[in-house]
Amino acid sequence: MSEDSSRMTKQKQYYEKEHIEFLEKLWGDGYMSPGGTEEVKKILDGLKISKKSILDLGCGSGGITVSLVTNYGAKNVIGLDIENDVCLAAKQRVIRLGLEQDIKIKKANPGPLEFEDMTFDIVFSKDSIVHIQDKERLVADIFRILKPGGYFVASDWLRSHDGQPSAEMMRYLDLEDLGFDMASPKRYRVALQRAGYENIVLLNRNEWYLDQARKELNTLS
């Protein structure tokens, strides 16, 4: 299990077709964060997806959302994101593949998640919670919409501490201009515990991403 949060930031995150296409060239068609299909497989390892109802939180352009149905046998999936452009790309992907009965793409509004209590078997999120400031509020809201015995499984960008970022990190965040709001593993664990989650597992993937970053640098070079 991993981390999340609830108050959607107003800053625009991923925009314009060109930006989406650039990220997909790095990580695969429909994928907007590192690792593509293999990393999704790693995150979902050991989790039974077949016949489950799933929320894909921060669905981006829909590659993962679609794969939850086509590759993992999910019963139905809702892909949720805050940006018009990525939601449009995801909707077009779903229509192109004829999966409208199994997958719905919705644009999120700022504030609490607009779903009834105990709606989903699984809430999944890959590298999107970093854009949300109030981690504590979101993990509690996700707990609310999960069915008893359900799973919250996610990956995200974290920092080792919750203090002021270094000058180097501030420079990086300024260059990215994507509203990154990283938190520490400790903060996530405390938030999850207070929300009521059990069997919390946090995995450090720094070594893996360091190798990925080198490959990305070679590709861009």
Side-chain angles (χ1 to χ4, degrees):
M1 196 163 291
S2 280
E3 43 286 349
D4 255 89
S5 124
S6 167
R7 189 180 306 154
M8 304 292 184
T9 57
K10 293 182 179 179
Q11 180 176 359
K12 196 167 187 180
Q13 309 298 347
Y14 298 99
Y15 45 87
E16 300 178 354
K17 182 179 178 181
E18 291 79 9
H19 193 179
I20 296 171
E21 290 177 347
F22 170 74
L23 295 177
E24 290 181 338
K25 285 179 181 178
L26 281 177
W27 299 314
D29 185 34
Y31 290 80
M32 298 179 63
S33 63
T37 57
E38 289 303 311
E39 184 61 7
V40 172
K41 183 178 180 180
K42 175 73 176 180
I43 296 169
L44 295 175
D45 184 41
L47 192 63
K48 294 182 179 179
I49 304 295
S50 179
K51 308 302 180 184
K52 301 296 185 182
S53 176
I54 302 176
L55 173 65
D56 182 10
L57 184 63
C59 66
S61 57
I64 296 174
T65 317
V66 165
S67 75
L68 291 171
V69 171
T70 58
N71 295 335
Y72 296 94
K75 180 181 179 181
N76 55 71
V77 181
I78 292 179
L80 189 71
D81 212 292
I82 64 173
E83 295 296 338
N84 287 321
D85 293 332
V86 294
C87 285
L88 177 60
K91 287 179 181 178
Q92 291 173 340
R93 186 179 308 280
V94 170
I95 293 172
R96 186 166 65 248
L97 296 173
L99 295 172
E100 299 97 317
Q101 296 300 314
D102 305 308
I103 300 172
K104 306 298 180 187
I105 304 297
K106 295 186 176 182
K107 184 179 182 298
N109 296 311
L113 297 169
E114 298 177 352
F115 299 104
E116 298 292 330
D117 294 358
M118 298 182 288
T119 298
F120 300 99
D121 298 300
I122 298 168
V123 173
F124 175 90
S125 182
K126 186 175 187 305
D127 303 342
S128 64
I129 301 164
V130 67
H131 300 305
I132 303 171
Q133 295 177 339
D134 193 341
K135 317 295 185 186
E136 291 76 12
R137 183 178 174 184
L138 184 58
V139 297
D141 209 17
I142 290 171
F143 188 88
R144 175 185 64 79
I145 64 174
L146 279 171
K147 296 177 183 178
Y151 287 88
F152 170 35
V153 56
S155 68
D156 205 4
W157 305 89
L158 277 69
R159 294 194 289 138
S160 62
H161 61 88
D162 293 304
Q164 181 69 15
S166 66
E168 293 82 2
M169 178 59 74
M170 291 298 291
R171 172 63 173 159
Y172 166 74
L173 296 176
D174 182 58
L175 290 171
E176 284 282 359
D177 192 28
L178 289 175
F180 278 14
D181 202 331
M182 288 180 278
S184 69
K186 179 180 179 180
R187 180 180 170 190
Y188 278 118
R189 181 177 290 278
V190 170
L192 290 163
Q193 289 171 338
R194 289 179 177 174
Y197 292 88
E198 299 178 351
N199 303 317
I200 299 168
V201 177
L202 301 178
L203 301 176
N204 187 326
R205 298 284 282 151
N206 284 355
E207 184 175 348
W208 167 79
Y209 181 64
L210 183 59
D211 181 60
Q212 285 291 122
R214 290 193 183 106
K215 292 177 181 177
E216 291 166 18
L217 179 60
N218 288 335
T219 299
L220 292 171
S221 298

